[in-house]
Amino acid sequence: MKTLRLILGDQLNSKHSWYKTNDKNVVYCLFEMRQETDYVTHHIQKIIGFFAAMRAFSNHLKTNNFKVVYYKLDDKDNTQDLVKNLKQLIKKHDIKKFEYQLPDEYRIDQQLSEFCKSLDIESEAFSTEHFYTEREDLKAFFKGKKQYLMENFYRDMRKKHDILMAGKQPEGGKWNYDKSNRNKWKGEHQIPTYKYFKNDVSNIVELIKKSDIKTIGKFDTKTFSYPITRAQALDQLKYFCEELLIHFGDYQDAMHTDEVYLFHSRLSFAMNIKLISAKNIVDTVLNYWRKHGDNIDISQVEGFIRQIIGWREYMRGMYWALMPDYKTENHLENTNKIPEFYWTGNTKMNCLKNAITNSLDNGYAHHIQRLMVTGNFALLAQINPDDVDAWYLGIYVDALEWVQLPNTRGMSQFADGGKIATKPYVSSGSYINKMSNYCDNCHYDKKEKLGEKACPFNSLYWNFLDDKRSILVNNRRMGMMYSLLDKMEKDQLVNIKKRAQSIIENPDNF
């Protein structure tokens, strides 16, 4: 029976069971489409990375004698629509069965589900064989529980998969070494030069320009430096273990004006397009640590593994548990427009200038830059979460909705009312100063709440607490801050709110 198998751009898993045998009656297809380049304004490096990795994967399959139909963006047969392309190939190749791997984005899942209902041939969906968990596992785990606490899920994952366990107890005596992951980097440990991959993408850059695709961000070279093949991803993982793991946990939350990546792995893009699996990464890191444990503290390893089997699997599970309603949640009723400087980096606030410029230059920022700088300001300035979602989904090369949406709307913007985060992740300038050197040469004074030189985060912070009092005052984790707010002189609060309002109304002046 002649079968058509669809491979999406984030399903580049060469270890999938599909490829264990080469059935000559199976045709594989991959499409570069305007449907995917245009649904949000993407960073140019994101489109480059996806197309480059898809082309490399197609070539890998062809080299191994699989039948592949690959539509480049400007292919004359490319309709730029997933369903239309599939219908075209089913007719052209006299296909009798359609198969696909379950998409990780709700949007595509719905599109393919409806498409399969319309077919008069057989269809079947398969697991991507990438994650530790299946879509519905987290929902089942939390059934009947009031809160979806990540820590509970994370501990269960550790036990279930025997990761960092000593019998029934956590190895090292602790489940979580988060308190060891909060050091400020002051240059005491030298950061190795990060690993470049010189993937020539000049033809893709020309194609994007010729096609007049609207993009954001910069790309001033001909080579794409993130991994685009499984071999490169494994090389990057090896480099992380040998050079970066030793201090990953220590400086996991640190930020610095002179460093883009610090000790982070740069594996998120490769993971999210499935060049390399979560289990592959965890097993490799654990094996390396077992051999070199004398030099690497368990806190470095646990901090890294928590991000993968904890946060990453948890966010995917939450996405599928809460969609589609989750995409429209706005618990705090924030409606302000996102500032123009999010697209340019033109602001006098040094933390935002650095985090945004880094994002525009590299399509990258680590989790604390996303959460406690750009996300923090967006929440304090009460930006519409729709705007914030679109920015985060577009600007990062690793951004796919299943991981971006719960991180942004939930963790960062508290728009879900606490389904993911137990409190809003907001802070004044003091936290940013604690974790970075951003405040050292800033136009604003991190200690001042009022005056032209006062750090905007400070007045915005107290204004946010006051504005959202009716919604947040009964949150027990916010009790101390509301106690401090209640002790503030009324005249001082009035002036703070005036300062905050001027920032909210004219953010691009700051």
Side-chain angles (χ1 to χ4, degrees):
M1 184 163 62
K2 201 157 188 187
T3 301
L4 180 68
R5 284 178 171 174
L6 170 66
I7 304 168
L8 296 173
D10 64 339
Q11 295 177 341
L12 311 183
N13 175 13
S14 61
K15 295 298 180 182
H16 195 278
S17 57
W18 271 3
Y19 313 117
K20 284 182 179 176
T21 57
N22 190 350
D23 186 338
K24 298 303 177 186
N25 287 314
V26 174
V27 178
Y28 293 88
C29 61
L30 298 91
F31 310 125
E32 299 172 7
M33 296 177 291
R34 293 302 293 255
Q35 169 187 311
E36 296 306 298
T37 61
D38 297 359
Y39 73 91
V40 73
T41 305
H42 299 285
H43 198 296
I44 186 170
Q45 292 186 40
K46 183 179 180 184
I47 298 174
I48 290 168
F50 266 83
F51 284 4
M54 288 165 66
R55 291 180 184 190
F57 192 75
S58 172
N59 290 336
H60 165 77
L61 291 180
K62 288 175 181 176
T63 300
N64 286 280
N65 298 315
F66 289 94
K67 288 183 183 176
V68 182
V69 175
Y70 189 96
Y71 282 178
K72 291 184 179 179
L73 196 69
D74 59 351
D75 193 297
K76 62 180 175 56
D77 294 325
N78 191 348
T79 68
Q80 309 300 332
D81 178 88
L82 177 59
V83 167
K84 289 177 182 176
N85 281 346
L86 290 171
K87 283 181 177 178
Q88 181 191 92
L89 292 184
I90 287 171
K91 185 177 181 181
K92 182 177 179 180
H93 295 277
D94 193 26
I95 298 297
K96 300 302 180 187
K97 186 182 181 187
F98 171 63
E99 297 180 349
Y100 67 100
Q101 295 173 30
L102 287 168
D104 286 310
E105 294 204 36
Y106 186 85
R107 169 181 64 91
I108 301 293
D109 189 63
Q110 290 295 106
Q111 189 179 22
L112 285 172
S113 293
E114 290 303 313
F115 170 64
C116 289
K117 288 176 188 174
S118 73
L119 291 175
D120 56 6
I121 61 171
E122 189 182 345
S123 63
E124 186 176 0
F126 293 79
S127 167
T128 60
E129 301 174 10
H130 170 80
F131 296 94
Y132 277 90
T133 54
E134 298 301 328
R135 276 183 184 178
E136 305 299 323
D137 286 358
L138 180 135
K139 191 174 184 179
F141 176 74
F142 284 114
K143 189 176 181 180
K145 298 184 175 78
K146 290 182 179 179
Q147 284 188 305
Y148 295 83
L149 286 176
M150 193 286 287
E151 184 67 22
N152 293 345
F153 171 77
Y154 170 55
R155 292 184 185 190
D156 185 67
M157 288 287 287
R158 291 265 297 271
K159 294 173 190 172
K160 190 178 288 180
H161 299 283
D162 194 24
I163 296 170
L164 287 176
M165 296 298 296
K168 294 184 178 180
Q169 297 303 313
E171 192 166 352
K174 287 184 185 179
W175 286 106
N176 189 313
Y177 289 84
D178 189 43
K179 289 181 180 176
S180 302
N181 303 151
R182 301 171 186 171
N183 296 325
K184 185 173 182 172
W185 184 74
K186 300 175 183 176
E188 60 270 51
H189 294 111
Q190 189 173 353
I191 298 166
T193 304
Y194 69 88
K195 194 170 188 64
Y196 282 93
F197 294 95
K198 295 183 179 178
N199 299 303
D200 186 354
V201 292
S202 50
N203 56 344
I204 295 175
V205 176
E206 285 177 23
L207 175 63
I208 291 169
K209 289 177 180 175
K210 183 183 79 173
S211 304
D212 199 27
I213 295 171
K214 185 183 177 185
T215 61
I216 52 175
K218 299 175 185 175
F219 189 71
D220 301 324
T221 180
K222 292 182 179 180
T223 56
F224 184 75
S225 66
Y226 298 103
I228 61 165
T229 65
R230 177 172 172 79
Q232 288 182 353
L234 291 170
D235 203 12
Q236 179 70 43
L237 176 58
K238 182 173 182 285
Y239 186 80
F240 171 70
C241 290
E242 292 174 354
E243 303 291 340
L244 304 170
L245 179 61
I246 190 169
H247 292 303
F248 171 80
D250 293 337
Y251 305 112
Q252 187 174 327
D253 292 357
M255 301 171 283
H256 199 278
T257 53
D258 296 337
E259 295 294 334
V260 176
Y261 303 105
L262 289 121
F263 292 92
H264 287 268
S265 71
R266 297 178 78 245
L267 282 164
S268 57
F269 175 70
M271 282 186 77
N272 289 355
I273 61 173
K274 302 180 181 62
L275 295 177
I276 189 167
S277 72
K279 189 175 189 305
N280 199 165
I281 290 176
V282 169
D283 287 349
T284 302
V285 168
L286 283 173
N287 288 338
Y288 185 85
W289 178 61
R290 298 290 178 211
K291 291 178 183 176
H292 304 88
D294 291 345
N295 301 320
I296 303 171
D297 191 80
I298 191 173
S299 63
Q300 321 294 343
V301 180
E302 187 279 323
F304 183 73
I305 286 174
R306 188 183 342 123
Q307 299 301 320
I308 297 173
I309 71 165
W311 283 113
R312 188 170 184 267
E313 297 278 336
Y314 171 80
M315 287 299 185
R316 174 175 177 258
M318 289 296 281
Y319 177 78
W320 285 105
L322 300 172
M323 282 294 281
D325 295 344
Y326 198 73
K327 196 168 182 175
T328 58
E329 294 216 32
N330 190 359
H331 181 71
L332 296 176
E333 300 175 346
N334 291 336
T335 57
N336 294 327
K337 278 189 168 184
I338 196 166
E340 182 63 25
F341 65 70
Y342 271 72
W343 309 101
T344 65
N346 295 330
T347 173
K348 295 192 287 286
M349 290 175 274
N350 204 33
C351 57
L352 283 161
K353 183 184 182 72
N354 272 271
I356 292 170
T357 300
N358 181 20
S359 302
L360 292 167
D361 288 350
N362 303 293
Y364 173 87
H366 72 64
H367 63 291
I368 295 299
Q369 290 166 317
R370 299 187 200 196
L371 180 66
M372 297 307 300
V373 180
T374 49
N376 187 11
F377 184 88
L379 183 50
L380 293 176
Q382 302 174 40
I383 307 301
N384 189 321
D386 290 347
D387 284 3
V388 185
D389 274 339
W391 187 79
Y392 277 102
L393 184 57
I395 201 164
Y396 295 116
V397 295
D398 62 9
L400 292 159
E401 192 184 74
W402 68 265
V403 66
Q404 170 274 317
L405 187 69
N407 268 297
T408 303
R409 200 164 284 252
M411 192 74 177
S412 172
Q413 299 303 295
F414 203 72
D416 63 359
K419 290 183 176 73
I420 286 176
T422 53
K423 71 177 182 70
Y425 276 86
V426 289
S427 79
S428 62
S430 60
Y431 174 83
I432 294 168
N433 181 56
K434 178 184 174 186
M435 296 310 304
S436 76
N437 71 334
Y438 290 156
C439 301
D440 293 356
N441 296 305
C442 187
H443 174 82
Y444 297 105
D445 188 335
K446 62 183 179 289
K447 294 179 181 176
E448 296 298 325
K449 296 185 184 76
L450 294 169
E452 288 186 11
K453 286 283 190 175
C455 173
F457 280 83
N458 294 342
S459 56
L460 287 171
Y461 177 74
W462 295 108
N463 177 74
F464 173 83
L465 291 182
D466 190 60
D467 278 0
K468 307 301 179 184
R469 179 187 286 271
S470 62
I471 302 174
L472 300 173
V473 71
N474 292 323
N475 183 317
R476 60 184 183 82
R477 293 194 67 195
M478 302 292 288
M480 183 186 293
M481 302 322 296
Y482 275 106
S483 177
L484 291 172
L485 181 63
D486 290 340
K487 292 173 184 175
M488 191 179 288
E489 295 287 340
K490 285 187 179 179
D491 287 349
Q492 186 185 22
L493 181 57
V494 167
N495 289 328
I496 283 172
K497 289 182 72 67
K498 281 181 183 175
R499 164 80 172 166
Q501 200 56 39
S502 70
I503 297 165
I504 288 170
E505 290 174 0
N506 302 285
D508 290 299
N509 293 343
F510 289 84

